Amino acid sequence: NRSRSNERRCKVEPNWAPLENRLGRARCMGFMFMGRVNGINHYKHGITRTYLYLDDAGNCYLKEEKGGFVPGNWGVELGKMEACLATRMTRSLLFGSVMHCGNKGFRF
């Protein structure tokens, strides 16, 4: 599209090392690499649809409403995602449906 000719686009290679170092390679299979902004890697979990934000050293961050990032607690954020996953799996087994946890209250 020529109207977007002034936009700069660049391809970002997925950086799995921070997530793999935190979770182990096998547990990363449910994630998608969504990109990188200001040194923060964005990983989206395919089932929970929630995000984990990690820098290259594996430090966890929370996304602020205004678009910035602040340091987060890895254990707390991972716990939220795992609780969401457990809820979805239980609901699916019991009712044959899935529940979308969304990002409200989950700051990944």
Side-chain angles (χ1 to χ4, degrees):
N1 186 338
R2 293 195 187 270
S3 65
R4 293 187 177 186
S5 62
N6 291 334
E7 285 185 22
R8 296 186 89 193
R9 294 180 188 226
C10 61
K11 184 176 180 180
V12 177
E13 293 296 322
N15 181 8
W16 292 105
L19 191 64
E20 288 177 350
N21 291 338
R22 283 290 196 162
L23 294 177
R25 183 173 279 207
R27 290 183 67 194
C28 292
M29 292 184 70
F31 287 89
M32 297 171 274
F33 181 80
M34 303 304 290
R36 179 180 172 92
V37 176
N38 296 329
I40 307 295
N41 301 292
H42 300 217
Y43 305 98
K44 183 177 182 180
H45 192 272
I47 295 173
T48 65
R49 313 306 269 177
T50 54
Y51 285 79
L52 291 175
Y53 300 107
L54 303 174
D55 64 16
D56 289 343
N59 298 307
C60 181
Y61 290 85
L62 303 175
K63 189 171 186 178
E64 293 184 308
E65 288 182 26
K66 295 179 181 179
F69 293 92
V70 295
N73 181 304
W74 169 255
V76 170
E77 300 311 308
L78 181 62
K80 289 177 185 178
M81 188 196 67
E82 289 176 336
C84 181
L85 183 58
T87 299
R88 290 193 69 161
M89 298 306 287
T90 300
R91 186 165 177 88
S92 178
L93 290 171
L94 292 175
F95 304 108
S97 63
V98 294
M99 182 178 93
H100 177 63
C101 295
N103 286 333
K104 191 170 187 176
F106 294 88
R107 301 181 77 186
F108 295 101

